[in-house]
Structures are given as C-alpha cells and as structure tokens.
Amino acid sequence: MLFYLKEISFIRLIIPFVAGIIGYVFMPYHPSLKFMLATMLSLVTILLLVHYGTVLLRKTNSFGWYGCAVYLTFLFSGYLLCHYYTQINDAKHFSYHFEKNAITLLYITEPLVEKEKSLKTVAEAVFISRDDSLLKVKGRILVYFKKDSLSKQLKYGDRIWVKTNFNPLPEPKNPGEFNYKRFMSFRQVHHQVYLSSNDWLAQGSNEGNSVYAALLDLRKHLSQILEKHVHDKNALAVASSLILGMREKLDDDLIKAYSSSGAMHVLAVSGLHVGIIYIIFGYVFFFLDKNSRTKVLKTIIMVGIIWIYACITGLSPSVMRAAVMFTLISLATNLKRITSIYNILAISAFILLLFNPYLIMEVGFQLSYAAVAGIVMLQPKIYGLLYVKNKFLNSIWAITSVSLAAQVATFPIGLLYFHQFPVYFLFSNLIVIPAASIILYTGLALFASVHLQFPVLKYFLGWLLNSILVILNSVIAFIDALPYSLIQGMDFSIFETWLIYLLIAGMIVYVYLKINASMLIILSAFAMLLFTGFNENISQNRQKKIIVYSVPNSTAIDFIYGRKHVFYSDEKLLNDRSKMLFHIKHNWWESGLRKNITVSVPGFETPFVSSFENYFQFLDKRIARVNDEIRIDEERKKMKVEMVLVSENASVKIKDLVKIYDTKKFIFDSSNQTSSVRKWMNECVRLELDCYDVNSNGAYIEIFNK
C-alpha cells in the first residue's frame, strides 16, 4: 500500500492544492495578502518546528507533522493563487474607477464570433480617460457589436475607444436556469456592453501577440478551405468543429443529435484529436528516429506541432490537458524517466491550474481529466474481462472497453450539469471514434493538397470528406431517432455527485487493492444516496406553488402540485426547444416534475388546476389574467382573486382593474413591454398595491403551505 502511494506521490500533493482553489471559489475571503502569507508561514513554521522537535527527541511519529506542513502549504497556495488570479480583487479593476460616460480604451483579446444580429468577443480594459488624464486599469468585458460593415472589420488585437456604460452581467431570472453570470465570473468577466457603430472608435490594430494572431489567421484560412470543398451545411459544421474547434456553425438540431447519441465529445476538440495529430506527425517525421540527437529534434518538433494545433483549435481545457500530457510524456521518454501516468495527469493539472486556477470549474476540464483517469484505471480491467481472438472483433471490444471506462468516470458530471444520459453511447462511439480519425486524416490531407497545388487530389479529398461527414451525420441522426435514445430529467446535486464518485472510488479500491474496508465506503455512500433521494422525494411530493417565468416576449406559468404540474404558455415558446431548455426545463428536473401537461389555450381542467375564460383556479386560489382591454362594470360585485396577472401589453389601467378585482397583488409577466410595465408599476405605488415585474426581477414564485 505504501509503495503504491509513493508511486502516485504528486496526486497526494495536488489534492490539497485543488481543495484550496475550490475553497476560495465557494468561500472567498479578501484579507490583506500579507496577512494571508503570514498566517500560512506561521502555521507551516509551527508544524516544521514540531516535526524537527520530535526528531530531536527521537519520537517515531514525526513524519505525520511534516506531511501536515506540506499539505497545508499546498492548501494555502491554492487558496492564495485563486485570490491573486481573481481580477476583481485588484484595486486597478475598471469597475472601481468607472464614471458615467467615461471614455475607455479596450483591447480585443479573442476572435470575434458572429451571431444572428451581432458580433461577440471579450475585451480587456486598458485605460479610462477622465479629467484630461489617462488612468491605467484592468478587467475583462463581454462585448457585443452591432453587426455592420465597420464591426466586421474588427479582429483580435485591435484597440477601440468606447464611450458608454458597462452593465453587470445579469443574475439568472428563473429557478434552475443556467447561471451565466457565475460561469463568466470564472473567466474573469463580470460586465457586458452592447456597442452600435456610434459607440466606438478604432484606435489601433495588430496590438496583440503576433504569433497567436498568425495562428488565428491560419485557422481562418483553413476554415475557408473547408467552406470551399465541403458543400453540405451540416457536414461543414461538423468538420469545422471536429478539425478546427470552431463550433459557431453547429445548429441546435445537430448539437441535440450528437448529444443524445453520446457522441458530443467528438465535436469538442479533445485528447482524442491531439493523440491522432501526434500519431500522424509521428509517421511524417519517421526519418528522425535514426539516433538520440535526431529523436530529441523530433520530440521538439512534435511538441511544437501539438501546441500549434492546440492554439489553432482555441485552447480548450481538454486540448490543453492533452497537450501538456503529451509534452510531459515526450520529455520523460527522452530523459529515460519512467513515471506513473497518474503522476503525469496530476502534474499536467497542476501546471494548467498554476496559469488559471479557475479551470477547475470548467466542465470541459472536469470531463477531460475524469475521462482519462477512468480510462487509465478501468479500461485494462474491463478489457481483461473478455478475450477475443478475432482481430476485428478485438478492436471493437477495445473501443467498447474505452467507452465504458470513460462513461463510468464521466456520467456523474454529465448528470450534474446536463441532467441526461445517452443510452446508445456504446453504439455511437463504435462509429464516431474511428470516423473522427478518418475525418482528421482526410482533413489534414485536404489542407496539404491545397497548399501543394494538387488540384485533382484536393477536389477528390473534399468530396470524400463531405461524403464521410454526411454519412456520419445520418448515422448519428438515426441513433438519435431510436426509441429511448436519451434519458432526460435526472437531477443530482453536487453532494450527490460526490457520493456517486465516492461509491465508484470504493469499488476501484476494492478491485485493485482488495481492501475489505472499502466495502464500508461503498455501503455508506450507497446508503447516503438512498437517504438523500428519499428525503428529496418527500419534499417534492409536498410542493404546491405557482411560478410565473421570465422568458423574453412570452407568457409562461407553471402550476405545480407535488410531482405533477400544468405548464401554460403560448404556442411559440412551447415549440422553441432551445428556450424551453434554457429557461424552463431545468427547473422541472430539479423539482422532480414527472407528469406534465403543456397547454397554450385557456379552457382546460385537471384535478388541481383549471382554466375558464380569463381565470385560473389552482386548488382554492383564483388568479385573474388580463391580456386585453376589458369592460368595467362598477355595479358588478368585485371578484376576490389571489393575484392579477397582466400580459401582452393589455390596454388597461390599474385603477380600473381594482374596480373589478378584490386583490392587493399585481404581476406583470415578460410578454409586456418595459414602457407599459413602468406605467403600471407607478400606478401600483400610488395606490399602495403590491406589484412585481417579472422581466426585471426574475420569475415570480408563490408557495402555498396547504
């Protein structure tokens, strides 16, 4: 056991380092840097004094104190590193110095991505101009440019003067909705701005890193080659994503098909792609294997190619992980040092986290390391369960064992973030993994034939690449269309995810080390999973609430009774899969809603909610919905309602509505224009009525105890 721990010594060190980073992410503390350093040094000094004191007194348990000092050092180092890296902690962050209508110099740090009506990028604040002086600042900003002839000329490295206000990124407006603000904060972006052509002025170009700019130009050039030779729209989208890491052309249907079939990983450039590139160029430079000196040259060239490819494809976490790992393996091979693959994994993670500790919060980073760890630990055991003599069938079994190992290691993360599980992942991976290799080989051959001026060959390769991709997309669409291809709606908390990993870890320890005590870990984790699931079910079965969601230009209301619910909305939203997934469905899954009814017209009845005319009856609560001009009959007795929901810019006044409805609560949903809501809100304030604007304040949630 001790020997095994020595073999993976760096893993023992990176665990407290990562714990320190995660500790800061979830429990940030902002004392003076000097105070934190002094605290860390004091603790470590005390532990080392105890260690050497016990050595002098000839005690036998001194190693424990020394280990504690090392672990504490790494723990504090991770915490301090994350604190130092967080830009908004810096007094020079532009948000502390920005004044209304100040002029700011921005430096574009990323290539612009074309959206439907805008161009999107991230820029770094450089200077703020105020009082006839320039103040040097820092801080990243999400920038949207209005799409026009001027903004289309912008590129990485350009500098622009901006005269406008920057807005903080908004909080999620619906329960369960993806927290884009938190996601961007991990990338050090806390503000955004939309710029029309009158809001900015170019100040200079080509100010960025010349090497990176050249690689981006190369990426654009290679993309144009694909556009010229791959004619099918979906085939081009997959080729751009798979070969160059450009996912802008992928539409929702294509992403959904690959995700449902369990082949989504092939669209994100990852270690698989880097490995194929490494193998290809390993064969290209075979003539450098003559002696030790030329082998060193080959290693340098190969490592350089890997990092060039990583930069061209956008330096995603999975690509950086693979690039660092291949670099370390190449160096270890040349130095004739044999080291554990687990140590290489840990060292590569440590190097990446030194440059950016927030990578630990990237889903791609987590999935990449989990997949590799799973393959390394589990694939040999799974592969050894079955002996296949036939070479072809053995290759299929090898791919299957890799897929199984990777899936076991990554499915808890998939459940946590995406709430889904692809049923036919084994079948799809048998196709997409070999196909990805063929597509990469063909794509690289196409690029080479274009630059080497082989006209017949380049058109043949273009046709071949297009045909392979069309067939691949057809197969993926077929798998996606199979019954029960995707299990959706599974919701797991972070705590439950850790319990699943604890369960898996216990099983791995038992398989590898045969330690009977690991069965206690397995049983404990399983029991806690059952307990948390049982507790959650009880809570979900008791829930009774109304939710008015905040979805731009839409009315969306949920009536929830236990694990059943009725969702009322307009037809346009119900048919918009992307909006439903982003704004609504995650809350359904988190709330454990299984039996759902979706309706778009009034006039329905269920055991717990019904609709008639412009009213909803939920249990004993009545809700009036006003979406058009109504006739005021002052002689009619007021109707008592729980709330009045005003929708679709109804031509009404609040003072008239209070003549009809006996209520103190008015809700304005997100189908209304801002100007109309502002007018109604002012009326409610004058009349001393409760009011709530869903568009500005997020979803309205009313919870009933009975």
Side-chain angles (χ1 to χ4, degrees), residues 491-515:
D491 179 64
F492 284 84
S493 65
I494 294 176
F495 178 66
E496 287 171 318
T497 304
W498 278 111
L499 285 177
I500 295 172
Y501 272 120
L502 187 62
L503 189 66
I504 294 170
M507 292 177 178
I508 291 171
V509 170
Y510 183 78
V511 168
Y512 273 88
L513 303 177
K514 306 297 182 185
I515 299 175

Side-chain angles (χ1 to χ4, degrees), residues 381-539:
K381 292 289 184 182
I382 295 171
Y383 180 73
L385 293 174
L386 187 64
Y387 173 72
V388 182
K389 191 173 182 180
N390 183 279
K391 287 185 178 181
F392 177 72
L393 293 177
N394 185 58
S395 298
I396 292 176
W397 173 235
I399 294 174
T400 302
S401 64
V402 170
S403 299
L404 278 170
Q407 196 68 42
V408 168
T410 57
F411 86 88
I413 298 174
L415 295 180
L416 174 65
Y417 291 111
F418 309 116
H419 308 284
Q420 63 185 31
F421 184 83
V423 175
Y424 304 118
F425 71 92
L426 286 176
F427 180 40
S428 63
N429 280 328
L430 282 174
I431 297 164
V432 298
I433 292 176
S437 303
I438 296 169
I439 290 166
L440 266 175
Y441 282 122
T442 310
L444 291 175
L446 173 62
F447 297 149
S449 65
V450 169
H451 288 93
L452 294 174
Q453 299 296 319
F454 295 147
V456 176
L457 182 60
K458 70 179 181 182
Y459 287 116
F460 169 74
L461 289 171
W463 170 84
L464 181 62
L465 183 60
N466 187 84
S467 302
I468 294 169
L469 287 161
V470 168
I471 294 170
L472 177 62
N473 287 342
S474 300
V475 172
I476 293 299
F478 171 76
I479 296 172
D480 176 41
L482 290 173
Y484 311 108
S485 63
L486 185 69
I487 300 174
Q488 278 189 314
M490 295 181 288
D491 179 64
F492 284 84
S493 65
I494 294 176
F495 178 66
E496 287 171 318
T497 304
W498 278 111
L499 285 177
I500 295 172
Y501 272 120
L502 187 62
L503 189 66
I504 294 170
M507 292 177 178
I508 291 171
V509 170
Y510 183 78
V511 168
Y512 273 88
L513 303 177
K514 306 297 182 185
I515 299 175
N516 291 329
S518 60
M519 291 301 298
L520 182 61
I521 296 174
I522 295 170
L523 292 173
S524 299
F526 187 69
M528 291 185 73
L529 271 172
L530 288 177
F531 176 76
T532 54
F534 179 71
N535 216 22
E536 192 175 16
N537 280 339
I538 292 175
S539 176

Side-chain angles (χ1 to χ4, degrees), residues 603-667:
F604 60 85
E605 187 170 356
T606 72
F608 59 92
V609 62
S610 58
S611 168
F612 55 95
E613 296 180 351
N614 278 351
Y615 300 96
F616 296 108
Q617 184 75 37
F618 179 64
L619 303 176
D620 61 341
K621 311 294 181 183
R622 180 171 289 183
I623 299 98
R625 185 187 177 214
V626 179
N627 61 343
D628 203 351
E629 186 174 357
I630 59 175
R631 186 172 62 85
I632 308 299
D633 186 355
E634 296 186 11
E635 295 182 0
R636 192 179 71 176
K637 185 179 178 181
K638 283 186 178 182
M639 179 178 288
K640 184 171 180 60
V641 294
E642 183 72 18
M643 68 181 79
V644 175
L645 180 69
V646 185
S647 307
E648 299 173 8
N649 301 300
S651 302
V652 295
K653 294 182 179 179
I654 302 299
K655 67 177 183 179
D656 293 331
L657 293 179
V658 295
K659 296 176 182 178
I660 306 172
Y661 301 114
D662 180 8
T663 187
K664 290 287 185 181
K665 191 181 298 178
F666 286 84
I667 311 298

